[in-house]
Amino acid sequence: MERQKIFSLFLVVATAVLQTAFISPAAAQEKTAPAGADRASRPVINVATSLTLEEARIIIETAIAKVRADKSRAAIAVVDDNGSLVSMDRMDGTSSFFQRFAVGKAVGAVALQQTTGESADQYAVNPQRFLSALSMLQGEILLIRGGFPLIVDGRIVGGVGSAGHRGDGDVDAVKAGIAAWERYRQGRK
C-alpha cells in the first residue's frame, strides 16, 4: 500500500514536470507577458556616453587620411572613458595584430590619463608606475607611442590609438584626428 502511494505521488510529479517541459517558449511568454508589452510600446532608454560614434568616426577618418597621405597603413581605434571600444578601422594591408595594438594604446592613454609616449618615458624615471600599470592591466594596455587621451573641460572622455604607421607616424595620425575632433566640437558650440 505504501509503495502504491509513493508511486502515485511520483506519477503526479513526473506528469507536472513533463507538462512544464513541453510548453513552447512562446506559450510561456504569452502567459507571463502583460498585455501590450510588445517592443514598439516600450520607451527607448538612452545610456550616457562620453564620446559619440560620430566623434569617433571624425577622429578615425582624419587619422586614416593622414596615414594615406604618408602612403602608409595603420589601425586606428577610439575608446570611451571606460576603455570600451567606440569605433575602429584597420586599413587594407594592415596586420590584424595592429588592431589590438591600437586598442591597447587607446586604453593605456585613458587608464593612465596621459599619452602612451609619456607612459613609456615613465619606465626610465618611474619604473614602478610603468610596471604596476602593466601588471594591473595585463593584456589591456600597450605603453608605446601612438595613444592619446581625449580630454574635454579637464575630464577624460576617451582615448585614441594608432598602430602600424612607422616612426612617429602613429603619433602624427592621432594628432591629426584629435585636431579634427576639436574643430568639430568647437563648431557645435
Side-chain angles (χ1 to χ4, degrees):
M1 185 72 173
E2 190 64 35
R3 269 190 191 164
Q4 196 173 17
K5 285 182 183 179
I6 293 173
F7 184 70
S8 294
L9 182 61
F10 172 75
L11 285 177
V12 170
V13 171
T15 302
V17 169
L18 288 173
Q19 285 175 344
T20 304
F22 289 108
I23 293 176
S24 72
Q29 286 178 356
E30 287 174 13
K31 289 181 183 179
T32 59
D38 63 286
R39 192 170 275 249
S41 67
R42 286 190 263 162
V44 174
I45 298 172
N46 292 316
V47 176
T49 57
S50 58
L51 189 67
T52 67
L53 178 60
E54 182 178 11
E55 291 174 290
R57 295 307 309 160
I58 287 167
I59 294 167
I60 290 170
E61 289 168 14
T62 304
I64 285 177
K66 172 65 176 143
V67 173
R68 276 196 184 107
D70 293 342
K71 295 181 178 19
S72 192
R73 302 181 292 261
I76 313 290
V78 175
V79 300
D80 66 13
D81 58 335
N82 291 308
S84 298
L85 187 64
V86 176
S87 189
M88 176 177 53
D89 279 9
R90 176 173 56 97
M91 297 173 69
D92 292 342
T94 305
S95 167
S96 62
F97 288 106
F98 286 119
Q99 292 175 155
R100 292 164 48 189
F101 294 167
V103 171
K105 290 179 182 185
V107 172
V110 169
L112 294 178
Q113 303 176 353
Q114 63 186 16
T115 70
T116 53
E118 291 170 314
S119 294
D121 293 343
Q122 290 285 307
Y123 187 72
V125 295
N126 188 359
Q128 294 85 359
R129 183 168 197 259
F130 179 89
L131 295 171
S132 295
L134 288 178
S135 175
M136 291 296 298
L137 300 167
Q138 187 176 23
E140 295 180 48
I141 62 173
L142 184 62
L143 301 177
I144 58 176
R145 299 190 191 295
F148 283 74
L150 299 170
I151 302 170
V152 174
D153 298 327
R155 180 177 165 263
I156 292 185
V157 297
V160 59
S162 174
H165 194 0
R166 294 181 296 275
D168 286 332
D170 287 325
V171 170
D172 295 340
V174 169
K175 284 182 176 179
I178 292 173
W181 171 67
E182 289 172 342
R183 286 191 301 274
Y184 168 80
R185 290 187 54 81
Q186 287 298 319
R188 293 189 67 202
K189 288 185 178 181

